[in-house]
Amino acid sequence: MSGNGSVILSQLAPGSNVVSSPGGGGAVDILNNVVVSGVVYQKLVFGTDDANATPMTVYENESVATDITEGGLDDHSVIVAGRTAASLVRDEWGKIIRTCGIAGCQYKTNFTTRMKNHKAAKHGINVIWFSCDQDGCEYKAKRAGHLKEHKQLVHDIDVRWFPCDLGGCEYKAKAAGHLKKHKADVHDIDVRWHHCDQDGCDYKAKTAGHLKKHKANIHDIDVRWHHCDQNGCDYKAKTACSIKQHRQLFHDIDVQWHHCDQGGCDFKAKKASNLKQHKQLVHDIDIRWHPCNQVGCNYKAKQASYLKRHKRSKHS
């Protein structure tokens, strides 16, 4: 390897203890684990004590040599100067390790196609767009497979249906995994139960994610707390959604107001459910009446709680 200030690994003779930049930018004593210059280096980790062995792992993040401590080096390490040294490193099977090269990206692969797809998907480089040809649809994808999936899910084109074979069930899915989940959730077929291991708790779930959520909510196990970032507010929640709702309700941050659309009404609410309740109570819109079931009583209420209060006060 050469050029652009990179070190030629083949030039490291057995027993060499200094790696230097071809441009004379500095050097590092690799046997004594001492950094002796201030140029930019990359660290290549070897799987053997032989300093000339083929690198197996690449640390792609660049560091200024003066920031590397002695504890960051070991007997299997060599510091290599230059930005391009890692781009032609080979793995333990002799295949070239290709690094992304975009600032801050640590992606690497042995395959040029995967690198091309990565740069297109993550960095928008040399993207070939696949646009949906259905009328009125503006969807486009960076991969033909994604477009095919979109047309199956959204437009029912070239779908292979997976129907449920249980008697009387008309469910069908566009993916085998969805059918399997349906049969587990609805028919309890091929369910792998996940049991709570806390003493006295009989909870069980059909997914590991549900069990994890249960243990966090009920037993405070492995909880990731989300804290409100407003000065003087000590509120914390177990979900980011709860924090977002808290900030809306109490701090008026990122509020999506729901306005009443009835003429002359200025009511607005922070929740769609509150607006719905307002329209039921004030404007008699979309009401679900709760009638009293006592003989001879024609009372009806707009809320179940009102009916309950009525029956308690009027009918004991």
Side-chain angles (χ1 to χ4, degrees):
M1 276 178 280
S2 62
N4 295 328
S6 61
V7 171
I8 302 175
L9 294 180
S10 61
Q11 291 182 350
L12 301 178
S16 298
N17 67 333
V18 174
V19 181
S20 60
S21 168
V28 174
D29 186 333
I30 62 173
L31 293 189
N32 297 323
N33 290 341
V34 176
V35 178
V36 295
S37 71
V39 297
V40 176
Y41 295 96
Q42 290 176 325
K43 180 179 179 181
L44 309 182
V45 178
F46 291 74
T48 172
D49 290 334
D50 182 4
N52 294 306
T54 300
M56 298 174 63
T57 306
V58 178
Y59 285 76
E60 301 166 19
N61 289 336
E62 294 181 349
S63 302
V64 176
T66 51
D67 294 334
I68 301 176
T69 62
E70 294 185 14
L73 305 176
D74 52 43
D75 293 338
H76 301 233
S77 302
V78 61
I79 302 296
V80 181
R83 297 179 57 86
T84 62
S87 62
L88 296 178
V89 173
R90 298 181 181 273
D91 61 15
E92 56 185 316
W93 298 283
K95 295 182 178 180
I96 293 177
I97 299 176
R98 293 173 173 83
T99 58
C100 179
I102 304 299
C105 184
Q106 299 184 10
Y107 180 81
K108 61 184 177 181
T109 181
N110 297 121
F111 303 96
T112 55
T113 302
R114 291 180 183 176
M115 180 60 70
K116 182 179 179 180
N117 290 338
H118 161 77
K119 288 187 174 183
K122 298 298 182 181
H123 306 295
I125 298 176
N126 296 327
V127 179
I128 299 176
W129 290 106
F130 297 86
S131 301
C132 183
D133 56 3
Q134 300 303 298
D135 291 340
C137 184
E138 299 179 356
Y139 177 84
K140 61 181 181 179
K142 294 179 180 179
R143 295 187 183 182
H146 292 170
L147 175 60
K148 181 179 179 180
E149 186 179 65
H150 159 80
K151 295 175 74 171
Q152 290 175 338
L153 295 176
V154 177
H155 303 294
D156 289 343
I157 296 176
D158 296 331
V159 180
R160 177 192 172 191
W161 291 105
F162 297 84
C164 183
D165 55 4
L166 275 298
C169 184
E170 299 179 355
Y171 177 85
K172 61 181 180 179
K174 296 178 180 179
H178 294 168
L179 175 60
K180 182 178 180 179
K181 186 176 186 299
H182 159 79
K183 296 174 77 170
D185 291 342
V186 178
H187 304 294
D188 288 344
I189 296 176
D190 294 331
V191 179
R192 178 192 169 194
W193 290 106
H194 301 265
H195 296 267
C196 182
D197 57 4
Q198 299 303 298
D199 292 339
C201 184
D202 297 327
Y203 177 85
K204 62 181 180 179
K206 294 179 180 179
T207 66
H210 289 165
L211 176 59
K212 182 178 181 180
K213 186 176 180 180
H214 159 80
K215 295 175 75 172
N217 290 336
I218 305 300
H219 304 294
D220 286 343
I221 296 175
D222 295 332
V223 178
R224 179 193 170 195
W225 289 106
H226 300 264
H227 296 267
C228 180
D229 58 0
Q230 298 304 298
N231 292 333
C233 185
D234 297 328
Y235 179 82
K236 64 180 181 179
K238 294 178 180 179
T239 65
C241 181
S242 297
I243 286 291
K244 181 178 180 180
Q245 188 178 71
H246 162 80
R247 284 159 53 93
Q248 291 174 340
L249 294 177
F250 292 94
H251 303 294
D252 288 342
I253 297 175
D254 297 330
V255 178
Q256 179 186 351
W257 290 105
H258 301 267
H259 296 267
C260 183
D261 56 3
Q262 299 304 299
C265 184
D266 297 328
F267 179 85
K268 63 180 181 179
K270 294 179 180 179
K271 291 184 178 181
S273 59
N274 291 346
L275 175 59
K276 181 179 180 179
Q277 185 181 67
H278 159 79
K279 295 174 75 171
Q280 289 175 339
L281 297 177
V282 178
H283 303 294
D284 290 343
I285 297 175
D286 295 331
I287 301 175
R288 177 193 170 193
W289 289 106
H290 301 268
C292 182
N293 59 1
Q294 299 302 303
V295 177
C297 184
N298 296 322
Y299 177 85
K300 62 180 181 179
K302 296 178 180 179
Q303 290 187 341
S305 60
Y306 292 171
L307 175 60
K308 183 177 181 180
R309 185 171 60 189
H310 160 80
K311 295 173 74 173
R312 185 170 56 243
S313 62
K314 298 297 183 180
H315 305 292
S316 300

